[in-house]
């Protein structure tokens, strides 16, 4: 069966510091991978998605970036965090990005102070 | 107009009640419909997945899609305190677009 991991689970960072959140998927190959941010009362905001190694599409312009160095690894980064980057970050995977459902990881709660 | 509208609640019901959760949407091209359950501080977990119109039942959960009205529902029978969570609807057109569209979630509390 497939499993998706995210770490860290929680993170408190000062404004201006760098960020690296990691997501890995087990039990499948060539998954489509997604990064979402969830804010209270605002639903899920798609940040990035990837259909393969090194292929990243950005949905929202911001100071975040994503990379996919390996087939089942997806990384969310920032060089300098803003207060507005605080939120709950979710990684998800799917087999087919058009028709298949998405399966979510446990999430990372980021607080920028 | 948002692609997907979902009443945020909160919804509070006694244990054993039938719960009805709903979403409306504007894009008639949506064909794939999902319901997720999200416990506090956890990632969403898939509950139901349906294609096109009709009903789908899984235990105490029934998902209903009415494409003519652009309306989907999730019914929970014999609700339990463990059903207390936020429920998110999601949908996709299944065409060349990538987007899954999510509702903002309805917060449900089942009171023992």
């Amino acid at each position: 069966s497939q499993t998706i991991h995210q770490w860290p689970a929680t993170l408190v960072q000062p404004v201006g510091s760098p960020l690296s959140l990691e997501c890995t998927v087990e039990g499948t190959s060539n998954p489509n991978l997604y990064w979402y941010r969830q804010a209270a009362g605002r639903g899920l905001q798609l940040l990035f998605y990837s259909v393969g190694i090194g292929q990243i599409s950005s949905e929202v312009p911001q100071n975040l970036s994503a990379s996919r160095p390996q087939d089942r690894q997806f990384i969310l980064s920032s060089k300098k965090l803003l207060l507005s980057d605080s939120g709950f970050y979710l990684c998800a995977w799917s087999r087919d990005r058009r028709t298949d459902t998405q399966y979510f990881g446990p999430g990372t709660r980021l607080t920028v102070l | 107009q948002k692609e997907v509208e979902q009443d945020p609640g909160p919804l509070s019901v006694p244990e054993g009640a039938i719960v009805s959760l709903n979403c409306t949407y504007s894009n008639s091209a949506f064909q794939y419909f999902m319901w997720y359950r999200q416990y506090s501080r956890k990632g969403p977990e898939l509950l139901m997945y349906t294609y096109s119109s009709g009903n789908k039942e899984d235990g105490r959960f029934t998902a209903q899609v009415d494409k003519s009205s652009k309306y989907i529902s999730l019914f929970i029978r014999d609700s339990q305190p463990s059903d207390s969570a936020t429920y998110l609807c999601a949908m996709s057109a299944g065409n060349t677009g990538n987007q899954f569209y999510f509702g903002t979630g309805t917060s449900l509390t089942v009171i023992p």
Side-chain angles (χ1 to χ4, degrees):
Chain A
S1 63
Q2 297 81 23
T3 309
I4 180 168
H5 303 279
Q6 283 186 249
W7 63 89
T10 59
L11 190 60
V12 180
Q13 292 284 92
V15 168
S17 64
L19 173 74
S20 181
L21 303 181
E22 190 165 342
C23 170
T24 58
V25 180
E26 295 178 356
T28 188
S29 59
N30 196 31
N32 299 292
L33 296 171
Y34 311 81
W35 278 113
Y36 288 89
R37 178 166 56 205
Q38 186 176 35
R42 297 181 63 183
L44 289 163
Q45 180 186 33
L46 179 63
L47 302 175
F48 301 94
Y49 69 91
S50 172
V51 299
I53 296 174
Q55 300 179 64
I56 309 294
S57 296
S58 175
E59 293 291 315
V60 181
Q62 61 219 327
N63 70 321
L64 298 172
S65 62
S67 62
R68 185 168 176 175
Q70 299 180 44
D71 182 45
R72 290 169 288 177
Q73 184 185 31
F74 205 22
I75 297 172
L76 183 69
S77 304
S78 174
K79 292 181 179 178
K80 287 186 177 181
L81 283 169
L82 307 172
L83 286 174
S84 57
D85 291 325
S86 293
F88 191 47
Y89 288 83
L90 290 159
C91 181
W93 75 275
S94 71
R95 292 183 186 86
D96 183 317
R97 68 183 176 93
R98 292 190 299 274
T99 62
D100 196 22
T101 193
Q102 296 182 12
Y103 300 91
F104 287 86
T108 295
R109 184 157 302 278
L110 172 66
T111 303
V112 182
L113 301 176
Chain B
Q1 184 184 9
K2 286 185 180 178
E3 295 276 1
V4 180
E5 298 275 3
Q6 185 175 10
D7 187 337
L11 186 61
S12 185
V13 301
E15 183 175 355
I18 297 175
V19 177
S20 173
L21 304 168
N22 311 295
C23 287
T24 59
Y25 60 95
S26 56
N27 189 343
S28 58
F30 287 151
Q31 300 184 74
Y32 301 87
F33 304 92
M34 289 137 281
W35 285 96
Y36 289 86
R37 177 175 62 197
Q38 185 175 23
Y39 292 114
S40 180
R41 297 181 173 269
K42 302 292 184 184
E45 59 177 317
L46 179 67
L47 270 182
M48 301 289 282
Y49 174 66
T50 53
Y51 170 70
S52 194
S53 285
N55 293 357
K56 184 175 182 179
E57 187 173 323
D58 184 1
R60 296 185 294 110
F61 298 91
T62 300
Q64 195 171 78
V65 175
D66 182 349
K67 291 188 71 179
S68 61
S69 301
K70 299 191 183 68
Y71 189 88
I72 68 170
S73 300
L74 177 70
F75 297 96
I76 307 174
R77 293 185 299 280
D78 187 25
S79 55
Q80 303 295 309
S82 59
D83 295 327
S84 298
T86 296
Y87 291 80
L88 300 160
C89 63
M91 48 199 78
S92 167
N95 54 18
T96 55
N98 164 72
Q99 279 280 30
F100 275 66
Y101 293 88
F102 289 86
T104 53
T106 299
S107 175
L108 171 67
T109 300
V110 181
I111 302 168

